[in-house]
Amino acid sequence: MDMGIVIDLTKAKTITHDARRTARAAEFAPLDVKATIPSEAATAEAARASVRTKYAEMQIAVDTATDVAALKTIMESLV
């Protein structure tokens, strides 16, 4: 009888959320600097809003994932 590898979906979601947060922080870093430059602040804030939306949607996708394949797809999009 082949038991195979069993993946804990809750732990996999936690790992995916951690990766999502890391990617979000990396994407925000240059925008955080630009937001402090008066001539670039408005453009930077618009870009930051876009990043927030992107990762909020990804957070929902992780939370509602029902299998590891969905989480794998999300993780691959972070690379």
Side-chain angles (χ1 to χ4, degrees):
M1 177 173 10
D2 181 20
M3 297 292 288
I5 297 174
V6 177
I7 297 175
D8 183 323
L9 188 61
T10 302
K11 287 182 182 179
K13 285 183 178 186
T14 298
I15 292 167
T16 305
H17 275 307
D18 289 346
R20 177 188 56 79
R21 287 182 194 105
T22 299
R24 182 180 187 265
E27 208 166 325
F28 262 124
L31 299 174
D32 289 343
V33 172
K34 288 183 179 185
T36 64
I37 302 168
S39 64
E40 296 184 33
T43 302
E45 188 49 44
R48 287 164 47 94
S50 177
V51 170
R52 279 191 291 276
T53 299
K54 171 184 170 182
Y55 287 99
E57 290 170 357
M58 192 178 296
Q59 179 174 348
I60 292 168
V62 172
D63 289 340
T64 59
T66 58
D67 59 27
V68 174
L71 296 176
K72 183 178 178 185
T73 300
I74 294 167
M75 288 291 284
E76 289 171 347
S77 75
L78 294 172
V79 177

